[in-house]
Each structure stands twice: as structure tokens, then as C-alpha cells.
Amino acid sequence: ALATRGETQWVPAPSVAGEEVLFNEQTSTSGVRWETVRSNHAFGQFLHPSTFIFSARPGSSDEWQITRVEYFAAKTAWFSGGDYQLDLDKASDDGLPTKESLYNVTLNPNSVAWSGSWESLSMDGLPWLDATQGVTVRFTYESGSSRLMLPVAEAPSFNGFLGTDESSSDWLRPAANQSLLFKVYGRIR
């Protein structure tokens, strides 16, 4: 407690972050189709705390932070050179990516298996977000001949697949009943 000018004011203890938990995942391969990340076609996933696994949903006064993203991907073929960008951005209220970047990294599709594999990215030091803030994970083409391929699954109880229309920056609203294959982990405080 602090005593100021004869008044006593209680100072709340600092909030403590919990252990890493699984926020959400879509791993069902039902009705999968493959999409190739190209210069004019980018793909992604919208995520919102209200859709997290019930035990991992932040309360209205909580904050949440992503610590790790896993996604399933394949490559088209073994060609020399190739890069794609993975971006994590704050989402607008309608689920589209904003220009407010939380994380980005350039990766080479040649590290992914032809038949597909789970790729994992640890994301240290991301900002804490309030319980109403959604995010988007975006995959865009950077350069080279090798291409990244992403499976899109039919997901009757899941929404959020993002795609572009004729350019890598003209995003369409999140599609219902479709999703990338992903796992997102994080902490709540």
C-alpha cells in the first residue's frame, strides 16, 4: 500500500503470465485441397480468442500472447532458390490483416518435405494483446522457383481461411467452414 497525502491506495500485484498452452488447432485432413503460394495468390488464417479451446480462452480482463505457431505445408519441387514470408498481424474487426505487424520472417520452402510436414516457429517477445484482438497468420511469396503449398481443409465448425483475389494484398474476408492446418500456442496473463 502507498500512503500519499494521508490517503491509502492499494496497488494491485503485477499480473503473472501462465505456462504455454494450446490456444487452438485444426488438424483434420477432411476434404483437403492444396493451394500454392504464388506472387498473385497469398493465403492465411484468421484467429480470434473467442474461438480458442474453451480452457484456453482469455477472460475479458486478461491479455494473451502467441509463443509458437505450427503449420502443415509442402513444397512443389526441388528448385534452386525460393523464399516465402510468414507474417503475424493484428486483424481488423472483420478478420482481415491490418498493416500492424506483430512478427515476420522470411523462410525457404526447400526446408519443407515434398509430401508435407509440420513446421514450427517459436515467436519470442511478441506483445500482449487484449481479449478482443484477433490476429492473422499470412503466407506470401517472396522470390525464386520453389513454392510453398498449404492444405486447406473443410472444417464444419471452424472459420478463418484467408486468401487473396488476383494480388497478394487484396484479401478476401475469412471463409466459413475452411481452415489451414495449424496449431497456435501461447500464454495468458
mmCIF file of all heavy atoms in Angstrom, residues 32-37 42-44 71-74 84 138-139 148-152 161 180-181:
data_model
loop_
_atom_site.group_PDB
_atom_site.id
_atom_site.type_symbol
_atom_site.label_atom_id
_atom_site.label_comp_id
_atom_site.label_asym_id
_atom_site.label_seq_id
_atom_site.Cartn_x
_atom_site.Cartn_y
_atom_site.Cartn_z
ATOM 1 N N VAL A 32 -9.333 -32.096 -47.890
ATOM 2 C CA VAL A 32 -8.188 -31.197 -48.107
ATOM 3 C C VAL A 32 -7.984 -30.910 -49.592
ATOM 4 O O VAL A 32 -8.066 -31.795 -50.432
ATOM 5 C CB VAL A 32 -6.899 -31.801 -47.500
ATOM 6 C CG1 VAL A 32 -5.661 -31.095 -48.015
ATOM 7 C CG2 VAL A 32 -6.948 -31.729 -45.996
ATOM 8 N N ARG A 33 -7.726 -29.640 -49.889
ATOM 9 C CA ARG A 33 -7.239 -29.231 -51.205
ATOM 10 C C ARG A 33 -5.955 -28.440 -50.966
ATOM 11 O O ARG A 33 -5.791 -27.795 -49.936
ATOM 12 C CB ARG A 33 -8.282 -28.424 -51.962
ATOM 13 C CG ARG A 33 -8.459 -27.022 -51.482
ATOM 14 C CD ARG A 33 -9.433 -26.213 -52.354
ATOM 15 N NE ARG A 33 -9.424 -24.834 -51.986
ATOM 16 C CZ ARG A 33 -10.091 -24.300 -50.965
ATOM 17 N NH1 ARG A 33 -10.829 -25.067 -50.183
ATOM 18 N NH2 ARG A 33 -10.014 -23.011 -50.714
ATOM 19 N N TRP A 34 -5.047 -28.485 -51.917
ATOM 20 C CA TRP A 34 -3.759 -27.806 -51.760
ATOM 21 C C TRP A 34 -3.762 -26.499 -52.538
ATOM 22 O O TRP A 34 -4.205 -26.442 -53.675
ATOM 23 C CB TRP A 34 -2.624 -28.705 -52.252
ATOM 24 C CG TRP A 34 -2.371 -29.841 -51.325
ATOM 25 C CD1 TRP A 34 -2.978 -31.065 -51.335
ATOM 26 C CD2 TRP A 34 -1.449 -29.861 -50.239
ATOM 27 N NE1 TRP A 34 -2.498 -31.838 -50.317
ATOM 28 C CE2 TRP A 34 -1.551 -31.136 -49.628
ATOM 29 C CE3 TRP A 34 -0.568 -28.936 -49.711
ATOM 30 C CZ2 TRP A 34 -0.784 -31.498 -48.523
ATOM 31 C CZ3 TRP A 34 0.208 -29.297 -48.617
ATOM 32 C CH2 TRP A 34 0.096 -30.565 -48.036
ATOM 33 N N GLU A 35 -3.264 -25.454 -51.896
ATOM 34 C CA GLU A 35 -3.120 -24.139 -52.532
ATOM 35 C C GLU A 35 -1.633 -23.790 -52.587
ATOM 36 O O GLU A 35 -0.902 -24.014 -51.624
ATOM 37 C CB GLU A 35 -3.861 -23.060 -51.731
ATOM 38 C CG GLU A 35 -5.365 -23.259 -51.649
ATOM 39 C CD GLU A 35 -6.080 -22.886 -52.938
ATOM 40 O OE1 GLU A 35 -5.421 -22.465 -53.918
ATOM 41 O OE2 GLU A 35 -7.314 -23.018 -52.961
ATOM 42 N N THR A 36 -1.188 -23.244 -53.706
ATOM 43 C CA THR A 36 0.213 -22.871 -53.878
ATOM 44 C C THR A 36 0.377 -21.372 -53.682
ATOM 45 O O THR A 36 -0.329 -20.572 -54.301
ATOM 46 C CB THR A 36 0.713 -23.268 -55.286
ATOM 47 O OG1 THR A 36 0.510 -24.676 -55.453
ATOM 48 C CG2 THR A 36 2.191 -22.949 -55.449
ATOM 49 N N VAL A 37 1.315 -20.991 -52.823
ATOM 50 C CA VAL A 37 1.605 -19.579 -52.570
ATOM 51 C C VAL A 37 2.400 -19.052 -53.763
ATOM 52 O O VAL A 37 3.495 -19.537 -54.056
ATOM 53 C CB VAL A 37 2.396 -19.407 -51.252
ATOM 54 C CG1 VAL A 37 2.736 -17.936 -51.019
ATOM 55 C CG2 VAL A 37 1.603 -19.974 -50.083
ATOM 56 N N ALA A 42 -1.816 -15.256 -52.149
ATOM 57 C CA ALA A 42 -1.321 -15.433 -50.780
ATOM 58 C C ALA A 42 -2.439 -16.071 -49.961
ATOM 59 O O ALA A 42 -3.616 -15.974 -50.309
ATOM 60 C CB ALA A 42 -0.923 -14.089 -50.182
ATOM 61 N N PHE A 43 -2.073 -16.725 -48.869
ATOM 62 C CA PHE A 43 -3.053 -17.428 -48.051
ATOM 63 C C PHE A 43 -2.749 -17.216 -46.580
ATOM 64 O O PHE A 43 -1.636 -16.855 -46.213
ATOM 65 C CB PHE A 43 -3.062 -18.921 -48.389
ATOM 66 C CG PHE A 43 -3.364 -19.181 -49.829
ATOM 67 C CD1 PHE A 43 -2.351 -19.404 -50.742
ATOM 68 C CD2 PHE A 43 -4.675 -19.136 -50.294
ATOM 69 C CE1 PHE A 43 -2.622 -19.602 -52.086
ATOM 70 C CE2 PHE A 43 -4.960 -19.320 -51.630
ATOM 71 C CZ PHE A 43 -3.941 -19.559 -52.536
ATOM 72 N N GLY A 44 -3.756 -17.431 -45.740
ATOM 73 C CA GLY A 44 -3.546 -17.231 -44.320
ATOM 74 C C GLY A 44 -4.694 -17.775 -43.492
ATOM 75 O O GLY A 44 -5.584 -18.459 -43.996
ATOM 76 N N TYR A 71 2.395 -25.076 -38.532
ATOM 77 C CA TYR A 71 1.540 -25.169 -39.711
ATOM 78 C C TYR A 71 2.020 -26.320 -40.576
ATOM 79 O O TYR A 71 3.196 -26.677 -40.572
ATOM 80 C CB TYR A 71 1.533 -23.853 -40.507
ATOM 81 C CG TYR A 71 2.899 -23.416 -40.967
ATOM 82 C CD1 TYR A 71 3.350 -23.710 -42.249
ATOM 83 C CD2 TYR A 71 3.750 -22.723 -40.113
ATOM 84 C CE1 TYR A 71 4.614 -23.316 -42.668
ATOM 85 C CE2 TYR A 71 5.017 -22.325 -40.530
ATOM 86 C CZ TYR A 71 5.440 -22.630 -41.804
ATOM 87 O OH TYR A 71 6.694 -22.246 -42.213
ATOM 88 N N PHE A 72 1.083 -26.926 -41.292
ATOM 89 C CA PHE A 72 1.415 -28.027 -42.189
ATOM 90 C C PHE A 72 1.617 -27.451 -43.574
ATOM 91 O O PHE A 72 0.836 -26.613 -44.033
ATOM 92 C CB PHE A 72 0.299 -29.077 -42.200
ATOM 93 C CG PHE A 72 0.743 -30.396 -42.757
ATOM 94 C CD1 PHE A 72 1.371 -31.319 -41.940
ATOM 95 C CD2 PHE A 72 0.547 -30.705 -44.091
ATOM 96 C CE1 PHE A 72 1.789 -32.543 -42.448
ATOM 97 C CE2 PHE A 72 0.967 -31.918 -44.611
ATOM 98 C CZ PHE A 72 1.587 -32.844 -43.791
ATOM 99 N N ALA A 73 2.683 -27.878 -44.260
ATOM 100 C CA ALA A 73 2.986 -27.342 -45.585
ATOM 101 C C ALA A 73 3.771 -28.379 -46.383
ATOM 102 O O ALA A 73 4.297 -29.344 -45.832
ATOM 103 C CB ALA A 73 3.799 -26.054 -45.464
ATOM 104 N N ALA A 74 3.849 -28.157 -47.681
ATOM 105 C CA ALA A 74 4.656 -28.969 -48.585
ATOM 106 C C ALA A 74 5.308 -28.022 -49.578
ATOM 107 O O ALA A 74 4.991 -26.837 -49.617
ATOM 108 C CB ALA A 74 3.783 -29.996 -49.307
ATOM 109 N N TYR A 84 9.517 -17.485 -49.007
ATOM 110 C CA TYR A 84 8.172 -17.025 -48.702
ATOM 111 C C TYR A 84 8.221 -16.294 -47.373
ATOM 112 O O TYR A 84 9.147 -16.476 -46.585
ATOM 113 C CB TYR A 84 7.158 -18.169 -48.678
ATOM 114 C CG TYR A 84 7.348 -19.174 -47.564
ATOM 115 C CD1 TYR A 84 6.623 -19.079 -46.381
ATOM 116 C CD2 TYR A 84 8.248 -20.221 -47.694
ATOM 117 C CE1 TYR A 84 6.790 -20.000 -45.360
ATOM 118 C CE2 TYR A 84 8.419 -21.151 -46.682
ATOM 119 C CZ TYR A 84 7.685 -21.037 -45.522
ATOM 120 O OH TYR A 84 7.866 -21.954 -44.513
ATOM 121 N N ARG A 138 -0.213 -14.931 -42.166
ATOM 122 C CA ARG A 138 -0.226 -14.817 -43.623
ATOM 123 C C ARG A 138 1.010 -15.455 -44.228
ATOM 124 O O ARG A 138 2.103 -15.345 -43.680
ATOM 125 C CB ARG A 138 -0.254 -13.349 -44.060
ATOM 126 C CG ARG A 138 -1.461 -12.585 -43.639
ATOM 127 C CD ARG A 138 -1.457 -11.169 -44.192
ATOM 128 N NE ARG A 138 -0.338 -10.377 -43.693
ATOM 129 C CZ ARG A 138 0.585 -9.771 -44.458
ATOM 130 N NH1 ARG A 138 0.542 -9.857 -45.766
ATOM 131 N NH2 ARG A 138 1.541 -9.056 -43.917
ATOM 132 N N PHE A 139 0.830 -16.089 -45.385
ATOM 133 C CA PHE A 139 1.927 -16.677 -46.146
ATOM 134 C C PHE A 139 1.933 -16.009 -47.511
ATOM 135 O O PHE A 139 0.957 -16.105 -48.263
ATOM 136 C CB PHE A 139 1.724 -18.181 -46.323
ATOM 137 C CG PHE A 139 1.684 -18.940 -45.026
ATOM 138 C CD1 PHE A 139 0.499 -19.101 -44.341
ATOM 139 C CD2 PHE A 139 2.844 -19.486 -44.499
ATOM 140 C CE1 PHE A 139 0.459 -19.804 -43.137
ATOM 141 C CE2 PHE A 139 2.810 -20.189 -43.296
ATOM 142 C CZ PHE A 139 1.626 -20.354 -42.615
ATOM 143 N N LEU A 148 5.790 -22.779 -51.879
ATOM 144 C CA LEU A 148 5.183 -23.381 -50.697
ATOM 145 C C LEU A 148 3.747 -23.755 -51.029
ATOM 146 O O LEU A 148 3.035 -22.988 -51.674
ATOM 147 C CB LEU A 148 5.195 -22.385 -49.532
ATOM 148 C CG LEU A 148 4.670 -22.908 -48.202
ATOM 149 C CD1 LEU A 148 5.695 -23.852 -47.567
ATOM 150 C CD2 LEU A 148 4.369 -21.765 -47.257
ATOM 151 N N MET A 149 3.324 -24.948 -50.574
ATOM 152 C CA MET A 149 1.948 -25.391 -50.759
ATOM 153 C C MET A 149 1.307 -25.572 -49.387
ATOM 154 O O MET A 149 1.924 -26.117 -48.473
ATOM 155 C CB MET A 149 1.909 -26.709 -51.536
ATOM 156 C CG MET A 149 2.441 -26.577 -52.951
ATOM 157 S SD MET A 149 2.525 -28.166 -53.789
ATOM 158 C CE MET A 149 0.812 -28.653 -53.786
ATOM 159 N N LEU A 150 0.067 -25.090 -49.244
ATOM 160 C CA LEU A 150 -0.652 -25.166 -47.979
ATOM 161 C C LEU A 150 -1.958 -25.941 -48.164
ATOM 162 O O LEU A 150 -2.702 -25.662 -49.100
ATOM 163 C CB LEU A 150 -0.973 -23.762 -47.469
ATOM 164 C CG LEU A 150 0.222 -22.870 -47.169
ATOM 165 C CD1 LEU A 150 -0.214 -21.434 -46.985
ATOM 166 C CD2 LEU A 150 0.954 -23.365 -45.935
ATOM 167 N N PRO A 151 -2.245 -26.891 -47.262
ATOM 168 C CA PRO A 151 -3.513 -27.606 -47.353
ATOM 169 C C PRO A 151 -4.635 -26.791 -46.716
ATOM 170 O O PRO A 151 -4.473 -26.206 -45.653
ATOM 171 C CB PRO A 151 -3.251 -28.893 -46.558
ATOM 172 C CG PRO A 151 -2.207 -28.500 -45.564
ATOM 173 C CD PRO A 151 -1.382 -27.427 -46.208
ATOM 174 N N VAL A 152 -5.758 -26.750 -47.387
ATOM 175 C CA VAL A 152 -6.959 -26.100 -46.859
ATOM 176 C C VAL A 152 -7.979 -27.207 -46.617
ATOM 177 O O VAL A 152 -8.306 -27.962 -47.534
ATOM 178 C CB VAL A 152 -7.524 -25.060 -47.848
ATOM 179 C CG1 VAL A 152 -8.762 -24.388 -47.274
ATOM 180 C CG2 VAL A 152 -6.458 -24.030 -48.181
ATOM 181 N N PHE A 161 -10.189 -19.277 -42.896
ATOM 182 C CA PHE A 161 -9.242 -19.363 -44.005
ATOM 183 C C PHE A 161 -9.239 -18.057 -44.780
ATOM 184 O O PHE A 161 -10.278 -17.502 -45.109
ATOM 185 C CB PHE A 161 -9.604 -20.528 -44.924
ATOM 186 C CG PHE A 161 -8.837 -20.539 -46.215
ATOM 187 C CD1 PHE A 161 -7.479 -20.786 -46.226
ATOM 188 C CD2 PHE A 161 -9.472 -20.273 -47.418
ATOM 189 C CE1 PHE A 161 -6.764 -20.774 -47.418
ATOM 190 C CE2 PHE A 161 -8.771 -20.274 -48.613
ATOM 191 C CZ PHE A 161 -7.408 -20.526 -48.607
ATOM 192 N N LEU A 180 -6.740 -23.532 -42.693
ATOM 193 C CA LEU A 180 -5.428 -24.130 -42.880
ATOM 194 C C LEU A 180 -5.233 -25.170 -41.778
ATOM 195 O O LEU A 180 -5.966 -25.183 -40.787
ATOM 196 C CB LEU A 180 -4.330 -23.072 -42.774
ATOM 197 C CG LEU A 180 -4.286 -21.992 -43.859
ATOM 198 C CD1 LEU A 180 -3.159 -21.017 -43.582
ATOM 199 C CD2 LEU A 180 -4.133 -22.607 -45.243
ATOM 200 N N LEU A 181 -4.241 -26.034 -41.916
ATOM 201 C CA LEU A 181 -3.881 -26.952 -40.838
ATOM 202 C C LEU A 181 -2.852 -26.236 -39.971
ATOM 203 O O LEU A 181 -1.784 -25.858 -40.450
ATOM 204 C CB LEU A 181 -3.308 -28.256 -41.388
ATOM 205 C CG LEU A 181 -4.241 -29.067 -42.288
ATOM 206 C CD1 LEU A 181 -3.594 -30.396 -42.659
ATOM 207 C CD2 LEU A 181 -5.592 -29.292 -41.650
#
